[in-house]
Amino acid sequence: MPASITRSRRAAIVREAARIRMRCQRAGYRTEQTVAALRTAFPEVTELEAWRFALGWSRADTVTQIGELYRADGLMPPGLSESMLCRWEHDPDEWPGPDYAVMLCRVYRARPEQLGLHQVGRVRQLSAWTTELIGYGRHDAGVARSDRQEGAEQMTTDAGLPSVRESLQLALLAEPVGSTLVEELAEAAAEHYAHNYSRHPVPVLFTEVRATRALLAPVLASGEASTEMRRQVGRLSALLGNLAFHLDDPSGARAHLGTAVAYAERCGDAALAAWAYGALSMVARAAGHLPAALTHAERGSAAAPHGLVSAQLHAWALLPTLARQGRDREADAALQEALTHLEADPVGEAPGRFGFDAAELALHQAEAHLALGRTDQARSRAEASAAACTTGTPGWAAATLVLAQAEASTQPSDAAQRGLDVLDRVPSSRLRSTARARLHSLDGLLATRPGGHADDLHDRLRVLPPPVDAYGTASS
């Protein structure tokens, strides 16, 4: 058995593997060529792990994709875990059984020998299977089509977004002053927008959310709106505030988020009130109003229920604000509080705009470390956040740009390349104001190191269209 790899060496391999993959992508390498480059650089990495690195997947991605394959085949997903995959990648005495081996070949679109699985007696017969059966190199061979595989986030259809509003509108025609059905449809609409927030251009989603909220105004004016109806108006207002912020409209964001707070507090929805205060803190922090940002953050954390919501408020609102103020001990305490609440939560994460997960936590940690001058910690957490996100999504762009900022002083060429990679992968219509701010911050950090990619990035940013032009038209 080869000597075990230390944790620090493993972390270094993960970091450098991401850089090698990025260089290979720019050179137009196929996956197997990227694997060869990775194994040349890291002989201690197995074929199975190298293939995952070459795809840019986390172990969680692989587990999720195998589960999707089982469901696509009409079967219940198995009990595969990240720790099982870790053992298969690192322990020469641990190998997947035949069924898992087939699924690994299918999700990675690789032959058994390319993953090193042909060396195991009980799955050696797989090597004789045809590439047609495994689906290697094909996009229609039974592999669950995924945003992770295709490099772009899976979308709801263009018709799917307005149809949600239209269903609510039809229900209101039958029950103009509201009903239990209307309340349920309003909740479903808010959930749809929250869970699909990152899947549509911000201006498009803003228009839909605004139109949906307007449908509920007559119900409120009738004086017969239920508490639940008012809660959904608060949630829609919170979404509008977040969308306005991402359109670089801070005053509009404050107005919508203030409305969300008012409705949340009137309904007694502590989680929504806390989230809206957190968003107000984010808006104030982006404008450089740190005292106001801290006030909102403290109100939000005080209102937040224990568990996931409190973890989010401490990580999203308190931590970055305290870090920007240079209050390192208090920032560390806020982070520890976030981790404590996260650990105490029975689920540990939730999807959607009002949710919270490990990728978001790592992003907030990275930005806090960056603000406090802890470059190495910032780089490590940004890499973790980016690895947990789908390439090309807003979360991936945010983490990649924070990583680039952390690299700017020591690896300016790599940092500039990351900025260019974001511009290549994310259309200008989908670049949020936060991504634009990070790009311009990166450009400023690289200004003292002109030449090469830094100049290319500067030129690209110079001609980048604004999110909304002087005539109120969103970039497209």
Side-chain angles (χ1 to χ4, degrees):
M1 178 182 295
S4 60
I5 303 174
T6 65
R7 182 174 296 180
S8 60
R9 173 59 177 163
R10 178 69 58 192
I13 288 173
V14 171
R15 287 196 298 270
E16 185 58 30
R19 298 190 185 100
I20 291 173
R21 174 177 174 268
M22 189 164 62
R23 289 197 293 269
C24 290
Q25 281 184 325
R26 293 196 185 96
Y29 282 19
R30 298 188 305 277
T31 304
E32 56 266 39
Q33 292 175 305
T34 302
V35 169
L38 287 165
R39 299 208 70 221
T40 298
F42 310 114
E44 64 268 51
V45 171
T46 64
E47 294 99 323
L48 189 60
E49 186 173 30
W51 204 276
R52 179 172 61 80
F53 284 159
L55 291 172
W57 288 14
S58 67
R59 291 194 183 97
D61 294 335
T62 298
V63 171
T64 298
Q65 283 300 303
I66 287 179
E68 289 184 10
L69 270 180
Y70 271 87
R71 280 187 286 270
D73 290 345
L75 302 172
M76 287 294 293
L80 178 60
S81 66
E82 294 177 49
S83 60
M84 291 169 61
L85 180 57
C86 180
R87 291 196 299 272
W88 297 340
E89 291 179 343
H90 298 158
D91 190 339
D93 296 323
E94 289 279 350
W95 291 94
D99 290 343
Y100 278 136
V102 171
M103 290 302 187
L104 285 166
C105 289
R106 288 176 66 187
V107 297
Y108 289 162
R109 296 196 177 110
R111 296 185 297 275
E113 56 269 25
Q114 290 178 310
L115 300 181
L117 300 179
H118 65 296
Q119 301 172 24
V120 185
R122 63 178 181 273
V123 295
R124 188 174 295 127
Q125 67 270 24
L126 289 173
S127 298
W129 289 17
T130 66
T131 58
E132 178 94 4
L133 180 61
I134 295 296
Y136 173 76
R138 295 182 55 186
H139 294 285
D140 58 349
V143 178
R145 289 185 67 92
S146 163
D147 49 354
R148 305 249 180 213
Q149 293 168 315
E150 301 302 325
E153 190 164 9
Q154 197 171 6
M155 300 286 290
T156 55
T157 65
D158 291 339
L161 190 61
S163 67
V164 172
R165 168 177 47 82
E166 290 161 1
S167 291
L168 177 60
Q169 186 175 19
L170 288 171
L172 283 166
L173 289 175
E175 300 282 355
V177 296
S179 65
T180 301
L181 174 61
V182 172
E183 292 169 7
E184 291 175 353
L185 287 174
E187 180 184 16
E191 285 292 311
H192 181 82
Y193 301 140
H195 287 175
N196 293 282
Y197 189 98
S198 297
R199 296 181 176 179
H200 297 282
V202 173
V204 173
L205 189 57
F206 184 95
T207 299
E208 281 301 316
V209 176
R210 174 176 175 266
T212 298
R213 189 180 66 164
L215 288 176
L216 301 179
V219 182
L220 297 179
S222 72
E224 299 185 32
S226 64
T227 298
E228 185 58 32
M229 185 66 72
R230 296 178 189 279
R231 177 179 290 109
Q232 301 314 321
V233 169
R235 295 179 73 199
L236 293 168
S237 297
L239 289 171
L240 282 177
N242 209 182
L243 288 161
F245 174 68
H246 286 143
L247 284 170
D248 200 20
D249 179 13
S251 58
R254 290 198 304 272
H256 297 308
L257 292 169
T259 301
V261 168
Y263 274 90
E265 292 182 341
R266 184 172 180 180
C267 296
D269 191 331
L272 177 58
W275 189 92
Y277 276 124
L280 282 166
S281 178
M282 172 185 66
V283 173
R285 190 169 60 248
H289 303 320
L290 297 184
L294 183 59
T295 297
H296 291 309
E298 290 173 338
R299 287 177 179 171
S301 59
H306 290 290
L308 195 66
V309 179
S310 186
Q312 182 180 33
L313 266 292
H314 279 85
W316 173 37
L318 275 174
L319 171 62
T321 303
L322 292 167
R324 284 275 298 274
Q325 291 179 324
R327 298 159 67 173
D328 54 349
R329 291 185 180 180
E330 292 168 275
D332 288 339
L335 173 58
Q336 187 56 52
E337 192 74 14
L339 294 172
T340 299
H341 281 285
L342 193 62
E343 186 176 348
D345 190 272
V347 178
E349 65 177 44
R353 180 55 20 182
F354 299 116
F356 189 58
D357 58 21
E360 184 183 345
L361 173 61
L363 175 64
H364 299 321
Q365 286 179 273
E367 290 206 289
H369 286 313
L370 194 61
L372 291 168
R374 304 168 182 171
T375 307
D376 289 341
Q377 294 97 315
R379 183 184 298 116
S380 174
R381 299 315 297 151
E383 286 176 338
S385 181
C389 295
T390 302
T391 301
T393 60
W396 169 84
T400 299
L401 292 173
V402 173
L403 175 57
Q405 291 176 51
E407 292 175 333
S409 61
T410 57
Q411 299 165 275
S413 180
D414 285 352
Q417 282 280 17
R418 292 191 192 280
L420 291 169
D421 197 30
V422 169
L423 291 172
D424 287 340
R425 292 177 180 272
V426 184
S428 60
S429 62
R430 290 180 173 271
L431 273 177
R432 297 175 178 175
S433 64
T434 45
R436 292 166 180 269
R438 291 182 178 109
L439 280 164
H440 286 292
S441 175
L442 175 61
D443 186 40
L445 292 171
L446 295 172
T448 59
R449 298 169 177 266
H453 299 310
D455 287 345
D456 293 340
L457 178 63
H458 181 77
D459 290 341
R460 290 281 297 276
L461 291 178
R462 191 164 47 82
V463 297
L464 183 67
V468 178
D469 65 21
Y471 303 100
T473 302
S475 62
S476 59

